[in-house]
Amino acid sequence: MTTEQTSLDASHARTISDELVIEGRKLVKRYGHVVALDETDFEIRKGEVLAVIGDNGAGKSSLIQCLAGAVQPDEGELLIEGREAHLRSPVEARRLGIETVFQSLAVSPALDVASNIFLGREIRRKGIAGSVFRMLDKKRMRQEALGAMGELGLSTLQNVGQAVETLSGGQRQGVAVARAAAFGSKVVILDEPTAALGVKESGRVVKLIKDINSRGIPVVLISHNMPQIFEVADRVHIQRLGKRIALVETSQIDMADAVALMVGAKTPAQLGLESS
Amino acid sequence: MTTEQTSLDASHARTISDELVIEGRKLVKRYGHVVALDETDFEIRKGEVLAVIGDNGAGKSSLIQCLAGAVQPDEGELLIEGREAHLRSPVEARRLGIETVFQSLAVSPALDVASNIFLGREIRRKGIAGSVFRMLDKKRMRQEALGAMGELGLSTLQNVGQAVETLSGGQRQGVAVARAAAFGSKVVILDEPTAALGVKESGRVVKLIKDINSRGIPVVLISHNMPQIFEVADRVHIQRLGKRIALVETSQIDMADAVALMVGAKTPAQLGLESS
Amino acid sequence: NAAASSNSGEPLVGLVIKTQDNPFYVKMTEGAKAEAEELGYNLQVASGDGQSDVDSQIKAIENFTAQGAKAILVTPAGDGIIPAIQKAQQAGILVFAMDSPLGAASGIDGTFATDNLLAGQLVGEWAKEALGSTPARIATLDLSTDQIPVDVARNQGFLEGFGIDTADPTKMWDETDPRLVGHEVTDANEAGGRTGMEKLLQKDPTINLVYTINEPTAAGAYQAVQAAGLQDQITIVSVDGGCPGVKNVQQGIIAATSMQFPLEMSKQALQAVKAYLDDGTKPQNSEGLDFTNTGVTLVTDKPQDGIESEDTTWGLDQCWG
Amino acid sequence: MNISATDRQKDESPAVPAPKSPMGLVEIDSGRLTPLQWIERRMLSRPLIGPIAVLVLALIVFSIVSPNFGTLQNFSLILQQVQVIAMLGIAQTLVILTAGIDLSVASIMLLAQVVMGKLAVAVGLPVELALVLGILVGVACGAVNGLIVTRLNIPPFIATLGTLSIFYALNLFISDGESVPYAEVPPLFNWLGQGFQVFGTTFTFGQLLTILMFVLFAYILRSTAWGMHIYAVGDNLEAARLSGIRVNRVLMSVYIVAGLIIGVTAWLLIGRIGSISPTAGASYNLASITAVVIGGTSLFGGRGRIMGTLLGAVIVGVFSSGLSLAGFDNLWQEFTIGLLIIGAVAVDQRLRKIGR
Amino acid sequence: MNISATDRQKDESPAVPAPKSPMGLVEIDSGRLTPLQWIERRMLSRPLIGPIAVLVLALIVFSIVSPNFGTLQNFSLILQQVQVIAMLGIAQTLVILTAGIDLSVASIMLLAQVVMGKLAVAVGLPVELALVLGILVGVACGAVNGLIVTRLNIPPFIATLGTLSIFYALNLFISDGESVPYAEVPPLFNWLGQGFQVFGTTFTFGQLLTILMFVLFAYILRSTAWGMHIYAVGDNLEAARLSGIRVNRVLMSVYIVAGLIIGVTAWLLIGRIGSISPTAGASYNLASITAVVIGGTSLFGGRGRIMGTLLGAVIVGVFSSGLSLAGFDNLWQEFTIGLLIIGAVAVDQRLRKIGR
Ligand SMILES: Nc1ncnc2c1ncn2[C@@H]1O[C@H](COP(=O)(O)OP(=O)(O)OP(=O)(O)O)[C@@H](O)[C@H]1O
Ligand SMILES: Nc1ncnc2c1ncn2[C@@H]1O[C@H](COP(=O)(O)OP(=O)(O)OP(=O)(O)O)[C@@H](O)[C@H]1O
Ligand SMILES: [Mg+2]
Ligand SMILES: [Mg+2]
């Protein structure tokens, strides 16, 4: 596949090119004597939805934390659009357009929903109120936050001025997802974004992923929900014991095989896949 | 149904009686101006698996927190085996044999896995070392913890002497579930126990729920995973906007209708259910 | 210079002061260092952490004992240090008290101190004369609620000198004389002096005489007096004799102060150490006192008849700091 | 269902009307409140309600007990008495909002003040330059604290427990423990102690500066991104970091700005006491924390209001003045301030619980 | 794959062999370590490695600098000098492990001590009874702190900032600021200051008691359920509560036991200074926290070792003694202790990072 391909799914029209947006080579991350990432590779192409699956503790979160600048790999290199990058903090990743929903959610409990969504890139007032007195435009931030939350269909949220600590588990996850969706420009990474969400809200998130992707933005999705993955992802990255053991097109593998690989019941060789 | 019924599923042999283990009547819980529980009812029968479903923010966690003594309802009454009970703390609920996995997990990050599993009911050494010097039997607790974790198939866990904060999200959830499973005697309540778990581990939890239940212990399961619920639950409690809008046998409703009720697309009356 | 010269050949003399944030002890230390150099002693200094920090002083005495000091000079923060002193004496070390007496019962080898009671009396007597026939409205700005001996001696001396019945002379604030308007504690610094004075004036704006525990307190009190525009009505007296204090006397901020002589104190004490080490003679107490009085002099530019005093020109020449 | 819009407000800006949820499921019943209920809710949900209640109560009681207490003159005096602690309290509040604590504020102030005095009086630099350099010493000390916290990763309590001693020792070393007397203090240094008359009562420029600083920092904390980031860092450091806030930069800036405020407070202190003293206000470390705490700011970070600190400082001043006028000994004043700390925080918590 | 068994140990008990995972997927490579690597890992993963390193380094340096330093006599002396702070440190450690802090330890000690003296000397009660009642005053003060923390829900820093003043004022009120002189102190009160000779060096019963108390509480914290619950409560209060721990009961018991230890320390203090003084050791509040902190216990609760506190207290004593023997002025001693606090904690953190 060296030419651009166009998805057959019309409602999901977009182009996937061979160009890599992010590439990780032989990434290693150790925690004391625990090896969370063991020379794992990673790649995501322009325009695609990549699912990362793997057992609990396989190193999925550790991997995306490296991509998001939240932790620094001990070894290996990271290339962003072909150029070597050292992400020393989440700020740098964000500046490069990489937006992440962490498994731990990373929301500030005492701040309200709107402040959380705009944290770190607040909107200032127009005119001298904003430029000289650096005054925030709270009204506008609230309105936009309301819109972003509404997209997710979190209808029970009563007030975007409400502190995040008073939200239910699912509402909280909604805040994190809404933030990433609103700002992602180069890549959006979601670590188990639907874990605490209800059926309807999960559906909304899947739709949101498609929306983001149809804007041409590649998405990395970590999830334990296989049907969801096979609905939305173009390729699956299978992580096992700190390594990527396979990277396959969703069209070329079925769910049962993917799970079998993930838990170690089958090897890539058995399925005729080159061990990536 | 006034007579005892025996499950048809042979591998899952157990009896469900009409006797209620826990009953909640018109429970109300307010947080400031937010009404989390709005005169909701609740019941679970001896020997059954009851699923609680509902949208994010519907009040599921608030409800089971009342049953577990973690919060006190503002109004309404709670009956345990027919007698009125006021659970002023989780300790009291535990003493009555109600064991809970909270959505927030409730594990102590700096303590190791074994200590977490036995927290609050540590095992002391035999002989005077235990009775006079009150010495803990750490070795035995570690061994038993290892067994409990093994049951869940969390094979990547490297050491039960490891601090919980160094575990992955799923491993952490495993610790909480293992604890409840090991100690539950009257009721086991699980608030989204598989949210962070992988496919295999989720399967193990479903099996564990069946195991617990086959010992005659009723289980309350909160989950957004419909197939899982319909696999394991006898009845479904549908929570919506702080109220129980329906309580039905899983055999008498299909998945689509349950979801429709939950999100408000259909009303119980439309489905011919008495609004409970 | 961080480390003191450690001429290990010279006999070690330890000086234990109360605190290093008070220029009185800083000067005492300087005087002792100069005199020790003269006499060929290795002088080392240790300090407590406040007016009543007994524990640090015990530590310091133990450490000097362990180092084999020949003599220890200590400004006692309380009689809690007596057992430590006795242990040092048992080890054959000469121990003198400086600045405030410990009492004869302590078995101390000698004491070189300001007569703080007298220091208070001098300003008290001067104030009585200065006020003349004006009915007195008196306030005192003391150090702390802890009833520290120096604090008590100066306060009670002042009242005695003014002719007020001090009731129990070992206690402040148990007096019932109607001329006494009130008192506040100040931590003996400017901020405490000002706030204390403001509170007292709020309570009773007719105050016309203020005794202060030391000159920084007096300086702070004056700020409050000036802000209230009462500088012509109120006379402030103090005790100490530091140079900033004497300058304030010169400016008329403080009307009179009792000067003490820390440099003299160190000098006399070290000479007594030499006398003992040379031929075993111990110092004699001043007449009628259980310590060697190292002198107090009243300094004021408004001398009163029958009361001996020096002016600020003399004071600036003699002051410390 | 009867879910009403929550009135919880994170700031003092006018309430934004509770938005209708996109699915229209939420009923809003604020319209159904009686005006009294409305006022009650509005007032009780304010974070400053606790300190205000304590202050009003104290003012009433002391005014009844002592006739000299309730005068404008006395209020001005009380404000002068607490202005230094209140200003240190601004610096302390900034640090505490980031979930830190600064035990060294008083040491920094003394050091900055003594440097000003040394440079102007002993070295003979121009007074303006000495003043600026003194304030910069405050900034430098703040930066040292900030570096220890952010680079060495040492908890602020420990870092400032260390620098408390270090800065105090430097202060004594430079000053030799000696004050610069009033007559030698340059007038510029004393300027903030100068006053003007309003309604026959004296107010000082220092008081004015203190109030202005509170207004300024209330604005900054409430309405700028930097202020928001301070709350976010204190609320959950890791979440703030992952949200793309440069947490170390925010922390550094907070310690540096705190140092700047403390440097200015050194100037204020000179104006207040008239001389330059190496020991005046050494006890203000804990006093500034007390003001913050009584003002309702959480020591765990992320929650609190700068105006609470002003109230907290004033409350302590009111008690100290009121008790003294009522004839209580210093011993019992100390005792009562102890009770006050506990009581004020207890009242604050109780009221907020009702208010939600 | 090369995942090795983690050596992370939560306590000092002999290492439990890393269990094979039930699925046998985990390789254990400890066997492949050279003995040196093994020792290195084992040592570095210990929580006490930081304080021990600092202590050893200080001992070596000071022994070289001053010939008088490295004697058994001097070590005994240092231990006597720090015993009171170390004992208060036990109480402080218990409280800090629950994520609290006790600013009032010294005030409680002084109050207990003064009550003992008053009852025995002025009231004339039997000495044994006076002693017990004095210790009970410590217990009562601890209970007051505990009640304020658990019933009024006031953070420990604030609660004890309040009681610090309250207990100190009571102490001055009861004693009238006066000491009971050496000659009037009953021998029983002084007993812990008595000594015995070993190898020509004097040791005191107080030292012995201090060491015994450390051993006792190290055992309790490590090997009993109560100890485990203290860690759990400090680690995450809400999780502990939901796990079925009676958190308020644990907190109350900690403050009460702390009060008991402080009561006993009052007895130790009398033995140490020979008289009963209402002001001796008022500075020990921060000193006891310093010992805990240098000993590597986290101020955020849930992590730390009681033996670290002993090491912390001894380290401060060694520095103070060593610097004084080396002829440093107190000014520079204070400066150096400030650096020590920061340096010791920085070293501790660095070593632990390597050790993992
Ligand atoms: N901060 C840490 N300290 C120590 N060990 C860690 C840390 N973070 C992760 N680990 C370990 O690294 C391994 C991989 O963890 P990671 O969180 O990446 O797994 P995961 O694939 O995301 O699992 P899950 O599906 O459960 O979220 C686990 O064994 C975990 O215990
Ligand atoms: N401590 C609290 N303070 C304020 N509001 C709260 C609190 N806990 C819950 N709520 C509110 O109560 C409502 C019900 O929350 P609850 O956690 O019970 O929902 P849930 O059904 O468990 O949702 P989820 O599936 O997302 O976990 C939500 O609107 C939530 O915002
Ligand atoms: Mg993960
Ligand atoms: Mg929930």
Side-chain angles (χ1 to χ4, degrees), chain A residues 168-170 196, chain B residues 56-57 59-62 103 191-192 222 224:
Chain A
S168 80
Chain B
N56 291 125
K60 304 179 297 297
S61 296
S62 301
Q103 195 170 9
D191 193 355
E192 309 199 18
I222 299 184
H224 292 296

Side-chain angles (χ1 to χ4, degrees), chain D residues 292-320:
Chain D
V292 174
V293 155
I294 292 182
T297 293
S298 161
L299 287 175
F300 303 111
R303 289 145 213 258
R305 294 280 150 226
I306 197 95
M307 282 300 172
T309 301
L310 181 58
L311 289 172
V314 169
I315 288 171
V316 174
V318 162
F319 264 79
S320 169

Side-chain angles (χ1 to χ4, degrees), chain B residues 145-242:
Chain B
L146 197 61
M149 291 300 285
E151 290 232 327
L152 290 176
L154 284 161
S155 57
T156 49
L157 182 73
Q158 293 169 17
N159 185 349
V160 284
Q162 203 174 336
V164 163
E165 64 195 337
T166 64
L167 301 183
S168 80
Q171 291 169 332
R172 234 175 265 203
Q173 197 159 49
V175 173
V177 173
R179 175 168 62 185
F183 290 101
S185 64
K186 192 169 292 168
V187 185
V188 172
I189 303 175
L190 307 158
D191 193 355
E192 309 199 18
T194 59
L197 289 185
V199 178
K200 188 185 63 188
E201 291 81 1
S202 288
R204 290 271 197 157
V205 170
V206 170
K207 185 173 170 309
L208 195 77
I209 292 173
K210 289 183 185 168
D211 283 355
I212 296 169
N213 190 239
S214 70
R215 282 189 262 141
I217 300 168
V219 176
V220 181
L221 171 68
I222 299 184
S223 178
H224 292 296
N225 186 333
M226 289 298 142
Q228 198 182 69
I229 284 170
F230 277 82
E231 180 187 346
V232 74
D234 299 296
R235 291 199 295 177
V236 192
H237 166 140
I238 302 175
Q239 187 80 5
R240 178 159 175 73
L241 298 173

Side-chain angles (χ1 to χ4, degrees), chain D residues 281-294:
Chain D
S283 63
Y284 288 180
N285 288 320
L286 282 188
S288 67
I289 296 172
T290 302
V292 174
V293 155
I294 292 182

Side-chain angles (χ1 to χ4, degrees), chain D residues 34-352:
Chain D
T34 68
L36 204 72
Q37 281 177 316
W38 187 87
I39 289 171
E40 190 197 317
R41 282 203 184 168
R42 186 61 19 125
M43 288 298 299
L44 286 176
S45 64
R46 296 282 153 157
L48 293 181
I49 177 70
I52 289 174
V54 171
L55 180 58
V56 169
L57 207 76
L59 288 177
I60 293 173
V61 170
F62 287 125
S63 297
I64 294 171
V65 173
S66 343
N68 289 339
F69 180 84
T71 65
L72 188 56
Q73 176 68 36
N74 196 38
F75 292 143
S76 170
L77 268 183
I78 289 174
L79 196 55
Q80 284 174 48
Q81 287 165 2
V82 301
Q83 63 187 356
V84 173
I85 291 173
M87 276 277 267
L88 292 180
I90 299 180
Q92 191 70 261
T93 308
L94 293 180
V95 174
I96 288 178
L97 280 177
T98 67
I101 198 160
D102 191 345
L103 298 176
S104 71
V105 287
S107 295
I108 295 177
M109 173 178 69
L110 294 177
L111 181 59
Q113 185 206 218
V114 155
V115 168
M116 284 178 196
K118 208 74 188 174
L119 291 179
V121 179
V123 179
L125 287 192
V127 185
E128 294 77 12
L129 185 62
L131 183 68
V132 170
L133 288 176
I135 293 176
L136 286 181
V137 166
V139 173
C141 292
V144 168
N145 281 339
L147 284 174
I148 297 173
V149 169
T150 57
R151 299 283 146 215
L152 297 182
N153 250 314
I154 291 184
F157 189 99
I158 300 174
T160 57
L161 184 65
T163 55
L164 156 72
S165 299
I166 294 173
F167 298 148
Y168 193 68
L170 287 177
N171 153 47
L172 290 182
F173 174 68
I174 291 174
S175 68
D176 246 345
E178 254 170 45
S179 301
V180 177
Y182 182 57
E184 291 174 20
V185 175
L188 175 69
F189 285 5
N190 259 323
W191 182 74
L192 288 175
Q194 303 308 308
F196 51 92
Q197 296 270 331
V198 180
F199 304 126
T201 304
T202 312
F203 294 90
T204 64
F205 296 120
Q207 278 172 306
L208 218 65
L209 176 70
T210 307
I211 305 265
L212 280 178
M213 290 285 276
F214 269 96
V215 172
L216 175 66
F217 278 92
Y219 172 80
I220 289 177
L221 282 177
R222 203 183 51 210
S223 300
T224 73
W226 187 64
M228 185 82 86
H229 294 177
I230 290 176
Y231 281 96
V233 166
D235 191 17
N236 185 334
L237 187 93
E238 189 55 18
R241 194 177 78 85
L242 293 178
S243 301
I245 290 181
R246 293 178 192 78
V247 291
N248 276 349
R249 204 187 273 191
V250 171
L251 286 173
M252 263 316 277
S253 66
V254 163
Y255 283 95
I256 287 174
V257 169
L260 177 69
I261 298 168
I262 297 168
V264 174
T265 313
W267 185 22
L268 185 66
L269 178 68
I270 300 178
R272 163 83 186 143
I273 65 175
S275 32
I276 298 175
S277 157
T279 54
S283 63
Y284 288 180
N285 288 320
L286 282 188
S288 67
I289 296 172
T290 302
V292 174
V293 155
I294 292 182
T297 293
S298 161
L299 287 175
F300 303 111
R303 289 145 213 258
R305 294 280 150 226
I306 197 95
M307 282 300 172
T309 301
L310 181 58
L311 289 172
V314 169
I315 288 171
V316 174
V318 162
F319 264 79
S320 169
S321 167
L323 288 171
S324 168
L325 286 183
F328 279 82
D329 250 359
N330 293 84
L331 187 71
W332 296 109
Q333 287 183 33
E334 180 165 358
F335 184 88
T336 314
I337 301 289
L339 285 182
L340 170 67
I341 293 172
I342 296 166
V345 176
V347 166
D348 190 38
Q349 291 196 339
R350 187 55 51 95
L351 283 179
R352 284 202 220 187

Side-chain angles (χ1 to χ4, degrees), chain B residues 70 94 110 122 133 136 158, chain E residues 3 10 219 223 235 241 243:
Chain B
R94 271 192 167 195
E122 291 80 2
F133 298 105
L136 296 178
Q158 293 169 17
Chain E
I3 300 182
K10 287 300 296 178
Y219 172 81
S223 301
D235 192 18
R241 194 177 78 87
S243 301

